[in-house]
Structures are given as structure tokens and as C-alpha cells.
Amino acid sequence: MLAAFTNIKATIPATTLKVNTMKTPGKQQADELATYKRASATLRKKIAAAAVPDGREILPVNGRIHLTLTGKPLNADQQKALFGESAFSPSVMRELADDGS
């Protein structure tokens, strides 16, 4: 979803958290982790607030993407211009359709 917002510039100060996940973090590690989490939450809010929605973006509604296709299929000339010459000739396609192999 954030990929559509290309006009956002954000910088995060480089920090290394040294947290041993095998034991309960000490006071200093807990403070560093809490500071990092607060900073990242603030940055996410800042990016979301400055984001300009893209009118072409399709957003989910109740966890499902609803899409209405209103376009027409491409004709043979448009397909050729868009995708190039087909690698299959009509005779090969007929053979495949006739004997199924």
C-alpha cells in the first residue's frame, strides 16, 4: 500500500539494537527497544499523514479486493502491437486442438 506513495522521503537514524532474545532484556536494552519502537511508530504516522492517495489504487473492503473490469478485450492487431508476434502459428494451434498432444 505504501509503495504507491513515491513522493515521501523519510530518514531513520541508523541504530543497532543489541537484544538477546534468549533471555529477558536488561533495563538499558528495554529502554533502547522502547525508544526504537516509539521512533518507528512516529515515523509510520508521519509517512501516513503526508501520503497522497493515488486515485488508481485499489483498496480492500472488508478484507477483499473488489474490482470491476469495464474494459474491452484487445483485438488481434492491438495484441500484436502490445505483445509482439505470437510464437505459435495458427496451424500449430489447430494441431494441438485437434489431437490434444
Side-chain angles (χ1 to χ4, degrees), residues 9-12 38-48:
K9 290 186 179 178
T11 57
I12 300 174
R38 279 193 301 272
S40 62
T42 303
L43 180 61
R44 280 194 302 275
K45 288 178 187 176
K46 182 179 176 182
I47 290 172

Side-chain angles (χ1 to χ4, degrees), residues 37-97:
K37 286 183 176 182
R38 279 193 301 272
S40 62
T42 303
L43 180 61
R44 280 194 302 275
K45 288 178 187 176
K46 182 179 176 182
I47 290 172
V52 178
D54 185 356
R56 299 170 297 171
E57 185 177 12
I58 300 168
L59 299 174
V61 177
N62 295 329
R64 294 181 183 246
I65 294 178
H66 299 272
L67 180 63
T68 304
L69 300 176
T70 57
K72 301 185 298 184
L74 299 174
N75 64 30
D77 293 333
Q78 291 171 327
Q79 288 179 13
K80 186 188 253 184
L82 186 61
F83 301 114
E85 190 68 37
S86 175
F88 294 104
S89 67
S91 60
V92 170
M93 295 304 284
R94 271 196 284 311
E95 278 182 40
L96 289 173

Side-chain angles (χ1 to χ4, degrees), residues 3-39:
F5 306 134
T6 56
N7 60 346
I8 303 298
K9 290 186 179 178
T11 57
I12 300 174
T15 58
T16 303
L17 295 177
K18 296 177 182 174
V19 178
N20 184 351
T21 58
M22 299 304 285
K23 64 179 183 175
T24 306
K27 171 93 171 102
Q28 181 182 358
Q29 289 176 333
D31 289 344
E32 287 178 1
L33 187 57
T35 303
Y36 176 80
K37 286 183 176 182
R38 279 193 301 272

